Amino acid sequence: MKSFEYGDKEISSLDISITVTSMIIGVGILMLPRELAKSVNGSDGWISMIAAGIIAIGIAWILAKIATHFSSQGYYVYASAAITKPLAFAAVLLLSLYFLSFCAYEVRAIANIAKQYLFETTPVEVIAFAFLMVNVYAVSGSRVGLIRLNILFIPIVLLVAVLVLLFSLGMVDLKELKPFFTTNWKSLAAATKTTAFSLLGFEVVLFYITMMNRPKDAPKAVAIGVLIPLVLYTAIYLVCVGVFSQLALPEITYPAVELAKEMQIPGEFFERFESIFFTIWIMAVFTTTVMAYDCTIYGLRSLFPKPKHKTWVFILSPIIYLLCMYPKNLSDFSKMSTFISYEGIIVSILFPILIYTVAKLRGVKSDAS
């Protein structure tokens, strides 16, 4: 008898594409227009976004291609054969810590934004704790269930984002998009770096590749998963510039949320659409956070297989909470974001590329052959 299509623990290329999209779309887009406006003139930020997108898609494709070489044995086993067990242990541990810090960052970010727009009198500590507990409950269940939850959430998130863009077009002043091509290359490079950091998240393929029923499709699937947020981010940035102007954007903490406040719905059916927008966006941040949490457990269980899945869930939850409460102010929080971004580039991109290079030189057995 043929098994039920969604009754097993395998995932398809569509699942991976949506998982990557869900992992990338998070709190970054809420602040990205402001960060770009600090570096560029007019609407030149789109140039940096396209450049960062091309780089991100290229790196994501390479990373997924590398991941196909250990689609059965897993990252740790493959790395152990290439660079010895102690070095492989360190590499996977650092990758797990990266996802742990990624998770903590998302928890603190959603707590900060929720306090500003939804729960003005509620302490950040309480909001962060409540959000973390929801993630603890979710990550305690099936891993494949979490991945397929993205298929339910991401269409809703994208639909709401498109509605915000459509209803904001009437407020766009095309004059604010000018002048074009006046930003120097150094500023464009700085904006490209900022955008590239916002497109991190495709690293989940290093772990989830072992669950794919057709690993060879991973490079294309991951590239599509990066392309969707890139198009969305570019559209939101251009509309924000057209509505608020390039000079005003650096003074707005969360331009995407403010855009939802300013949008005009015919008939004034909703008076505070930003509350609906932000509530839906919590779903996007939730999927990002819970997958980062799950990847942390995935990596640690490959190093320490004896503790059960739920044991790791409860061990890590207080660590995540304490880590997310570490920043004392927005300056510390910004530094945390920068540190995590650089950490991600090193441990989730450079390390796998180096390990793959050594593996090829040493003739390590590949699952792709």
Side-chain angles (χ1 to χ4, degrees), residues 84 280 318 364:
T84 73
I280 297 300
V364 174

Side-chain angles (χ1 to χ4, degrees), residues 100-111:
L100 180 73
S101 55
F102 196 123
C103 179
Y105 171 79
E106 294 289 325
V107 172
R108 178 58 183 271
I110 201 67

Side-chain angles (χ1 to χ4, degrees), residues 111 113-124 127 278 282:
I113 303 171
K115 179 175 176 59
Q116 180 170 336
Y117 289 99
L118 296 179
F119 311 109
E120 296 179 2
T121 59
T122 305
V124 171
I127 301 173
F278 185 64
I282 289 177

Side-chain angles (χ1 to χ4, degrees), residues 165-185:
L165 291 173
L166 289 177
F167 288 124
S168 299
L169 289 178
M171 301 183 295
V172 173
D173 184 354
L174 295 179
K175 294 180 180 178
E176 297 295 342
L177 300 178
K178 302 176 182 178
F180 303 117
F181 307 110
T182 59
T183 308
N184 61 67
W185 69 269

Side-chain angles (χ1 to χ4, degrees), residues 107-276:
V107 172
R108 178 58 183 271
I110 201 67
N112 288 344
I113 303 171
K115 179 175 176 59
Q116 180 170 336
Y117 289 99
L118 296 179
F119 311 109
E120 296 179 2
T121 59
T122 305
V124 171
E125 293 82 359
V126 175
I127 301 173
F129 181 79
F131 184 68
L132 179 59
M133 288 301 100
V134 176
N135 281 270
V136 167
Y137 174 77
V139 83
S140 297
S142 166
R143 175 168 288 124
V144 72
L146 287 179
I147 294 175
R148 287 175 180 151
L149 188 65
N150 296 322
I151 299 178
L152 174 65
F153 282 177
I154 202 64
I156 301 173
V157 173
L158 293 177
L159 175 62
V160 170
V162 170
L163 286 177
V164 170
L165 291 173
L166 289 177
F167 288 124
S168 299
L169 289 178
M171 301 183 295
V172 173
D173 184 354
L174 295 179
K175 294 180 180 178
E176 297 295 342
L177 300 178
K178 302 176 182 178
F180 303 117
F181 307 110
T182 59
T183 308
N184 61 67
W185 69 269
K186 290 184 178 179
S187 297
L188 287 175
T192 299
K193 182 184 71 172
T194 301
T195 306
F197 287 165
S198 297
L199 293 175
L200 288 175
F202 50 81
E203 317 88 77
V204 295
V205 72
L206 292 172
F207 290 144
Y208 291 152
I209 187 71
T210 58
M211 301 173 64
M212 286 194 70
N213 51 17
R214 292 189 298 274
K216 291 183 178 180
D217 296 340
K220 180 181 178 181
V222 172
I224 293 173
V226 177
L227 179 62
I228 294 172
L230 173 64
V231 174
L232 178 63
Y233 282 22
T234 304
I236 289 178
Y237 165 73
L238 290 174
V239 172
C240 282
V241 174
V243 173
F244 300 117
S245 81
Q246 188 270 335
L247 295 176
L249 269 182
E251 308 302 322
I252 303 174
T253 307
Y254 305 111
V257 182
E258 295 297 329
L259 187 66
K261 290 178 66 175
E262 297 295 327
M263 61 176 282
Q264 299 174 352
I265 300 178
E268 297 183 356
F269 187 72
F270 291 113
E271 293 186 357
R272 292 196 62 185
F273 189 81
E274 76 277 6
S275 298
I276 299 174

Side-chain angles (χ1 to χ4, degrees), residues 62 144 152 322 352 355:
I62 292 172
V144 72
L152 174 65
L322 292 174
I355 290 171

Side-chain angles (χ1 to χ4, degrees), residues 250-324:
E251 308 302 322
I252 303 174
T253 307
Y254 305 111
V257 182
E258 295 297 329
L259 187 66
K261 290 178 66 175
E262 297 295 327
M263 61 176 282
Q264 299 174 352
I265 300 178
E268 297 183 356
F269 187 72
F270 291 113
E271 293 186 357
R272 292 196 62 185
F273 189 81
E274 76 277 6
S275 298
I276 299 174
F277 169 79
F278 185 64
T279 302
I280 297 300
W281 211 259
I282 289 177
M283 295 164 56
V285 180
F286 166 75
T287 55
T288 301
T289 308
V290 78
M291 284 188 294
Y293 201 157
D294 185 61
C295 285
T296 304
I297 297 170
Y298 204 128
L300 290 175
R301 287 203 72 192
S302 67
L303 302 178
F304 309 100
K306 287 187 178 181
K308 294 182 179 180
H309 180 88
K310 289 186 179 180
T311 302
W312 277 116
V313 171
F314 294 113
I315 290 175
L316 294 174
S317 57
I319 299 175
I320 293 172
Y321 183 74
L322 292 174
L323 188 59
C324 81

